[in-house]
Each structure stands twice: as structure tokens, then as C-alpha cells.
Amino acid sequence: QVQFVESGGGLVQPGGSLRLSCAASGSIFSIYGVGWYRQAPGKQRELVAAATSGDSTNYAESVKGRFTISRDNAKNTVYLQMNSLKPEDTAVYYCNRAPGGGWFYAWGQGTQVTVSS
């Protein structure tokens, strides 16, 4: 079973930036790709950004041009650079395999991102 450890969240003012990191316990990114997901209070978990096993990327419309996903396969680590943060970006952020196949690994604890003045 693969485990994920997310980090880098925190409290930031609107317009600020954060860089999230996620370390996986296994080498899955080159096989299943990787995604960043988030869940705000009272809402369903949603995909924010994904990088496929073929290195293509895609983003939710709400974060395009502001967020960038990148990964280091050798370190089994994925990053999410978040710029121009908005209050609506407030959520717990998680990483997991990229969507597809109808299944996910067990979710980690996530990292809280709060955008507020």
C-alpha cells in the first residue's frame, strides 16, 4: 500500500503564494500519474491539478494560470506551486494517483491551506 505525506500548507493572505509538497512511499507517479485534490468544508473533494504518467498536465479551470504541478520521480515527490491565492482556495489539499481506473490509494492526512486577510 502506498502512503502519502502532504506538507507546506498554512495561512496566507489573498494574493500570496504557497508551495505544497507530497511524498509518496512508492514509485507510482511514472505508472499512474499524480494529482492534487482539495476538499473545502461542506464540499466534495475535487481535482485541482494532475500530471499524467506521460508528463502532460491539466488543471481545474478555477486554478489555471495560478497553480503549477511538478514532480520528481526519483524522489517520489510531487509539488504544487500556488500563486495569486484566493479565499476560495481555502481547503485541505491531498495528493494521490491521477484520475482514471476508478480507484485511488488510501488518502493521506492532507495539508490545510487557508487564504484569509
Side-chain angles (χ1 to χ4, degrees), residues 1-7 21-29 34 75-78 94-97 103-110:
Q1 181 64 280
V2 175
Q3 294 179 323
F4 302 99
V5 178
E6 299 92 348
S7 62
S21 300
C22 172
S25 62
S27 301
I28 66 162
F29 298 158
V34 62
K75 295 182 179 180
N76 297 327
T77 300
V78 61
Y94 305 86
C95 69
N96 211 302
R97 58 162 288 174
W103 62 272
F104 292 96
Y105 290 100
W107 296 91
Q109 291 189 339

Side-chain angles (χ1 to χ4, degrees), residues 43-113:
K43 295 187 177 181
Q44 289 190 331
R45 186 175 287 145
E46 63 175 352
L47 176 68
V48 175
T52 70
S53 57
D55 283 338
S56 64
T57 58
N58 59 82
Y59 297 89
E61 284 296 325
S62 60
V63 306
K64 277 184 179 179
R66 301 189 296 123
F67 290 11
T68 303
I69 187 172
S70 60
R71 68 190 192 196
D72 185 333
N73 286 342
K75 295 182 179 180
N76 297 327
T77 300
V78 61
Y79 306 96
L80 186 68
Q81 178 66 43
M82 305 187 298
N83 299 327
S84 302
L85 283 161
K86 303 176 180 180
E88 51 263 43
D89 295 318
T90 295
V92 179
Y93 284 71
Y94 305 86
C95 69
N96 211 302
R97 58 162 288 174
W103 62 272
F104 292 96
Y105 290 100
W107 296 91
Q109 291 189 339
T111 186
Q112 175 71 49
V113 171

